[in-house]
Amino acid sequence: MNIIEPKSGASLILKKGEILKVTDIEGCQVSDMLLYNLNNHDEKISAGKTFDYEECILLTNGNYLWSNQSNKMVKIIEDTNGRNDFLLAPCDSKTMKHFYNISEYHPSCFENLYQGLNKFGIAKETIPSAFNIFMNVIFNEEGKLNVAPPTSIAGDYVCFEAQMDLIVALTACSALDSNGGSFKPIGYDVLENK
Amino acid sequence: MNIIEPKSGASLILKKGEILKVTDIEGCQVSDMLLYNLNNHDEKISAGKTFDYEECILLTNGNYLWSNQSNKMVKIIEDTNGRNDFLLAPCDSKTMKHFYNISEYHPSCFENLYQGLNKFGIAKETIPSAFNIFMNVIFNEEGKLNVAPPTSIAGDYVCFEAQMDLIVALTACSALDSNGGSFKPIGYDVLENK
């Protein structure tokens, strides 16, 4: 298994048909994921399109994640925990200031995502909301939301089957409240389709 | 009042402190709105940042709409209807095919937004999810959502106070289900701050 150290990130190419398995090694740790079309960087993961086509805010086993150009990017084919978030944008330095009053340097998902994407020539200005694996954002019918600790336990994983050739960026999230108060690693594997 | 004809769009500059008033002239009609920083087109409206900072999915009087760079773009200072949507991406030609089985040309918010933005040199590939004024997307705690007819009646309006100099694109939405089954105009005014 490839290891993403706490508060860091990784990026990779995932070819059509391959499966990305993302594992919460210790439990209670979020991983932000971004997807770009390998052959057209203008096409990328879109929360708004996914909510529209899947007719659901909460995405798990059987759901697709869609692009801003209305194409399927990945299918979720396994999800042992079942709770992920697609509402909230990646934490950044201003998030750290706003919610934690951290003014000095602190790693963030935004930084870790754009550093991973940079080697593929993708600019940070293009970064949309990420799919937040294991993140537990609770909301009611009036729309009020709060970030609760992930319900994932050690060894929980989500498998994504690529529907097109993709660039993937992943993090081990750097925002304390999203991860139940401590920073932990994330694991990932690329598997051949059976 | 400026009139956006059914299934069309408009764009304008809104300077810091000015107020944009968007009116549902006949009732039961959605208007998609995009915001870009006039002086930095890489900065634009972000659903994910807004949900995060406002800690709410449903935005109305008193809420701010935030940018992808974590800055406030507008404040909602009046909202006579009170129901808007920020979950769903603008309808496009593929949405029309998917939900309505329309294969021939049909106007869409995506087309009307990018045509409005084009004159400011903003490319359609940059378009994020729009703030959908008067749109009535109902969801439950399990995340299941459905698009219901707007609750707005003739003369309802929302006022947005600009927090920075902005480019604004607006539509009279072209998707039947979003508008209670008929296409109607939208009105808008730019008002000086009192």
Side-chain angles (χ1 to χ4, degrees):
Chain A
M1 192 192 310
N2 303 284
I3 306 293
I4 303 173
E5 296 298 331
K7 296 182 281 179
S8 71
S11 60
L12 62 141
I13 288 174
L14 189 73
K15 302 300 281 285
K16 180 176 179 175
E18 288 181 338
I19 293 163
L20 174 68
K21 180 180 180 180
V22 179
T23 301
D24 187 353
I25 298 171
E26 299 181 13
C28 209
Q29 174 63 41
V30 167
S31 176
D32 279 23
M33 179 176 74
L34 286 179
L35 307 172
Y36 285 74
N37 180 337
L38 176 64
N39 302 304
N40 171 16
H41 297 177
D42 287 331
E43 182 166 20
K44 59 193 176 187
I45 192 170
S46 165
K49 286 293 180 194
T50 300
F51 297 152
D52 201 7
Y53 288 119
E54 298 299 308
E55 301 183 54
C56 196
I57 298 173
L58 293 170
L59 293 318
T60 182
N61 194 22
N63 287 119
Y64 292 90
L65 305 184
W66 294 70
S67 78
N68 60 334
Q69 296 187 17
S70 289
N71 296 311
K72 294 171 179 171
M73 302 194 93
V74 293
K75 181 179 182 180
I76 304 177
I77 60 169
E78 258 191 294
D79 184 353
T80 63
N81 174 51
R83 187 83 188 194
N84 308 291
D85 171 67
F86 209 179
L87 289 168
L88 301 191
C91 59
D92 62 23
S93 58
K94 289 184 179 173
T95 320
M96 297 298 169
K97 175 66 183 164
H98 184 96
F99 289 108
Y100 302 99
N101 203 28
I102 298 174
S103 296
E104 64 274 24
Y105 172 76
H106 184 85
S108 68
C109 282
F110 185 78
E111 180 189 34
N112 288 322
L113 290 166
Y114 84 67
Q115 288 182 344
L117 294 168
N118 187 53
K119 71 179 181 198
F120 295 103
I122 296 172
K124 63 183 176 185
E125 290 78 10
T126 71
I127 289 182
S129 287
F131 185 70
N132 306 310
I133 307 164
F134 310 121
M135 190 168 183
N136 188 16
V137 177
I138 294 169
F139 50 86
N140 62 22
E141 291 180 10
E142 286 73 48
K144 296 292 176 198
L145 59 80
N146 74 292
V147 177
T151 55
S152 48
I153 59 172
D156 269 331
Y157 62 88
V158 185
C159 288
F160 303 91
E161 182 187 63
Q163 309 296 302
M164 61 170 72
D165 293 347
L166 294 168
I167 295 164
V168 181
L170 285 170
T171 70
C173 174
S174 308
L176 264 189
D177 288 350
S178 304
N179 303 295
S182 68
F183 300 121
K184 300 163 290 290
I186 286 288
Y188 71 93
D189 299 279
V190 175
L191 312 173
E192 295 297 316
N193 211 332
K194 299 155 201 164
Chain B
M1 193 192 307
N2 303 284
I3 306 293
I4 303 173
E5 296 298 331
K7 297 182 283 178
S8 72
S11 61
L12 62 142
I13 289 174
L14 189 73
K15 302 301 281 284
K16 182 176 179 176
E18 289 181 336
I19 293 163
L20 174 69
K21 179 180 179 180
V22 179
T23 302
D24 187 353
I25 298 170
E26 299 180 12
C28 208
Q29 172 64 40
V30 167
S31 176
D32 279 23
M33 179 176 75
L34 286 178
L35 307 172
Y36 285 75
N37 179 337
L38 176 64
N39 302 306
N40 171 16
H41 296 177
D42 287 331
E43 182 166 20
K44 59 193 176 189
I45 191 171
S46 166
K49 285 293 181 194
T50 301
F51 296 152
D52 200 7
Y53 289 119
E54 298 299 308
E55 300 182 56
C56 198
I57 299 173
L58 294 170
L59 295 317
T60 182
N61 194 21
N63 287 119
Y64 292 89
L65 305 184
W66 294 70
S67 78
N68 60 332
Q69 297 187 15
S70 289
N71 296 310
K72 294 171 179 172
M73 301 194 93
V74 293
K75 181 179 183 181
I76 304 177
I77 59 169
E78 258 192 292
D79 184 353
T80 63
N81 174 50
R83 187 84 188 193
N84 309 289
D85 170 68
F86 209 0
L87 290 167
L88 302 190
C91 60
D92 61 23
S93 58
K94 289 184 178 173
T95 320
M96 296 299 168
K97 174 67 182 164
H98 184 96
F99 288 108
Y100 302 100
N101 202 27
I102 297 173
S103 296
E104 64 273 23
Y105 172 75
H106 185 86
S108 68
C109 282
F110 185 78
E111 179 190 37
N112 288 323
L113 290 166
Y114 84 66
Q115 287 182 345
L117 293 168
N118 187 54
K119 71 180 180 197
F120 294 104
I122 297 173
K124 62 184 176 185
E125 290 77 10
T126 71
I127 290 182
S129 287
F131 185 69
N132 306 309
I133 307 163
F134 310 122
M135 191 169 183
N136 186 15
V137 177
I138 295 169
F139 50 86
N140 62 22
E141 291 179 10
E142 285 73 48
K144 296 293 177 197
L145 59 80
N146 74 291
V147 178
T151 54
S152 50
I153 60 172
D156 269 331
Y157 62 88
V158 185
C159 288
F160 304 92
E161 183 188 61
Q163 309 296 301
M164 60 171 71
D165 293 346
L166 295 168
I167 295 164
V168 181
L170 285 171
T171 70
C173 174
S174 307
L176 264 189
D177 287 351
S178 304
N179 302 293
S182 68
F183 300 121
K184 300 163 288 294
I186 286 288
Y188 71 94
D189 299 278
V190 175
L191 312 172
E192 295 297 315
N193 209 334
K194 297 156 204 166

